[in-house]
Amino acid sequence: MQSFSFLKIALILGLLSAIGPFAIDMYLPALPAIGSSLGAEVGAVQWTLTAFFLSLGAGQLLYGPISDMVGRKPPLYFGLGLFALASVGCALATDVQTLVVLRFLQGLGAAAGMAIPRAVVRDLHTGTEAARLMSLLMLVFSVSPILAPLVGSGVIALTGWRGVFWAVALASVAGLALVFGALKETRLPAQRLESSLSSALRSYGVLLRDWHFLGLVGIASTALAGFFVYLAGSPFVMINHYGLTPTQYSLAFSVNAAAFFGAAQCTALLGRRFGLVNVVKAAASASGVVMCLLLAYYLAGGDELWVLIALYFVASGFMGLVIPTTSVLALEKHGAIAGTASALMGTLQMLGGALAMAVVSLFASGKPLPMVVGMASGALVGVMLTWATLGGYASGPCPAGASS
């Protein structure tokens, strides 16, 4: 029964977390078509991604403290409702500027589904049990980058790119029903008594002075920044440069996503055996080495698609070990302000990704090299942050029953 309850909460939180990313991954195969339909250049279309990530990051700063003050469920209702309305607007947009604004609002709604599930995990568990729940959550979350591009290419083929936004609007309505009928409140009234706007500001001050917390968030942020650069550049590189169809691109994208989320399922097992800190050190370093090899290949004049897919598959697997593990470690000592800490973590990760995409978009040419430079840069900065943050930490195996 306890195992069923564990899987049930992972399923619910994973689906809520996936609704926002679904709005990214489903429309990736349509980016070239959106540019043609709205008469927009590559850089302008990529801003529809950047705007989404900016608000997805900034919005979490609001949802986290609010969820500490009023509970986890009310902010989820608001965020999913805003997401649904903005999605309908995106489906009706007639120019790229309007689409960018509506994507910003859509991301603001999606931020609730990103910040609050992590706080719920911390409400329920710590230690390796939290890592286990986080990795199960990410397994469910993985339906987005694995299946969403494939679903998106099918929807696009039948209805055009606007159909994608009607589909995600329906997904958000389903999310509202899930929160109402299946998710229990994990932030009880007695736990909210000391939560207020002033306490949230004090909590942000505590977190921003916690260099260990910031270092762990930075490690995950740089890994995600490289992924976001790939997210924004790969449709143009693979469809326009390498000549893949939208469906073929979706399959190639899904392969890398499967590596990430498959590896994420090993975090609890490896953490119990080697310690969570050691897992992060080894995986971040290995990812950096692989990305350096990919960059060296393109700098030497290589241009084979299979090399890009194969090496990024390996790097994605290592990142799948880094990101959930650093999230657990970052929240470990901040259970009393888990919503606020989760929000700041999510904000810094999303803003880092948005900044990386914005910088790389200045050099975007539809060719692989600018994208690969951005991806490799994120991985290398991540290696440096890992050893600056965790280099002096000893980490033994975690007790199997470490949970609250």
Side-chain angles (χ1 to χ4, degrees):
M1 193 66 178
Q2 185 177 7
S3 178
F4 173 77
S5 177
F6 203 86
L7 291 174
K8 179 185 173 183
I9 193 67
L11 179 64
I12 294 169
L13 297 179
L15 291 175
L16 291 175
S17 299
I19 287 174
F22 217 73
I24 303 165
D25 302 325
M26 264 190 82
Y27 100 131
L28 286 178
L31 287 181
I34 290 173
S36 299
S37 173
L38 301 181
E41 296 182 353
V42 171
V45 177
Q46 287 183 335
W47 265 101
T48 65
L49 270 174
T50 303
F52 186 92
F53 280 117
L54 284 171
S55 59
L56 188 64
Q60 293 181 62
L61 288 176
L62 300 174
Y63 288 116
I66 289 172
S67 76
D68 284 340
M69 287 185 274
V70 304
R72 307 305 186 199
K73 293 180 70 169
L76 281 171
Y77 290 135
F78 175 83
L80 290 169
L82 177 60
F83 180 90
L85 292 173
S87 298
V88 172
C90 289
L92 301 174
T94 57
D95 58 77
V96 74
Q97 292 82 9
T98 300
L99 184 60
V100 168
V101 172
L102 288 167
R103 287 285 286 171
F104 182 89
L105 292 175
Q106 194 184 39
L108 196 61
M114 296 297 291
I116 295 173
R118 285 194 303 262
V120 172
V121 170
R122 181 56 187 80
D123 289 341
L124 298 173
H125 298 285
T126 59
T128 54
E129 286 301 294
R132 180 182 166 217
L133 181 54
M134 193 77 78
S135 61
L136 282 172
L137 184 155
M138 295 193 74
L139 179 62
V140 179
F141 179 86
S142 70
V143 301
S144 176
I146 293 174
L147 295 182
L150 294 171
V151 174
S153 62
V155 170
I156 292 160
L158 292 172
T159 66
W161 63 268
R162 296 179 189 276
V164 168
F165 292 107
W166 289 112
V168 297
L170 290 175
S172 62
V173 172
L176 281 167
L178 196 62
V179 172
F180 180 78
L183 183 66
K184 293 183 178 179
E185 180 60 66
T186 59
R187 181 77 169 178
L188 302 178
Q191 297 170 310
R192 307 172 201 164
L193 294 177
E194 297 183 3
S195 297
S196 63
L197 182 59
S198 60
S199 68
L201 292 175
R202 288 195 300 272
S203 297
Y204 279 132
V206 169
L207 293 167
L208 289 170
R209 292 191 298 272
D210 185 344
W211 291 106
H212 185 66
F213 172 84
L214 292 176
L216 287 164
V217 171
I219 295 165
S221 298
T222 53
L224 283 169
F227 174 68
F228 290 163
V229 168
Y230 177 75
L231 204 67
S234 59
F236 299 98
V237 169
M238 293 190 180
I239 294 174
N240 293 345
H241 179 72
Y242 286 115
L244 299 186
T245 66
T247 300
Q248 289 171 332
Y249 164 73
S250 299
L251 288 169
F253 186 88
S254 298
V255 165
N256 294 122
F260 180 98
F261 292 105
Q265 301 315 298
C266 301
T267 53
L269 175 64
L270 293 173
R272 279 192 292 268
R273 183 166 183 179
F274 302 107
L276 296 178
V277 169
N278 293 331
V279 170
V280 175
K281 288 180 186 178
S285 301
S287 178
V289 170
V290 174
M291 290 308 303
C292 283
L293 290 174
L294 182 60
L295 177 59
Y297 172 77
Y298 277 100
L299 288 175
D303 196 20
E304 294 289 337
L305 176 59
W306 72 266
V307 176
L308 172 61
I309 293 175
L311 289 181
Y312 195 55
F313 176 88
V314 177
S316 294
F318 287 122
M319 286 190 294
L321 296 175
V322 170
I323 293 172
T325 308
T326 52
S327 297
V328 169
L329 290 170
L331 294 176
E332 195 76 48
K333 297 179 181 178
H334 297 290
I337 52 171
T340 303
S342 175
L344 182 59
M345 177 168 60
T347 294
L348 294 176
Q349 289 173 355
M350 293 300 115
L351 294 183
L355 177 61
M357 284 193 299
V359 171
V360 174
S361 71
L362 298 175
F363 305 95
S365 61
K367 296 185 181 298
L369 187 58
M371 179 183 76
V372 173
V373 169
M375 292 158 62
S377 298
L380 289 175
V381 174
V383 172
M384 290 187 285
L385 278 174
T386 297
W387 288 96
T389 304
L390 301 175
Y393 279 77
S395 175
C398 298
S403 66
S404 62

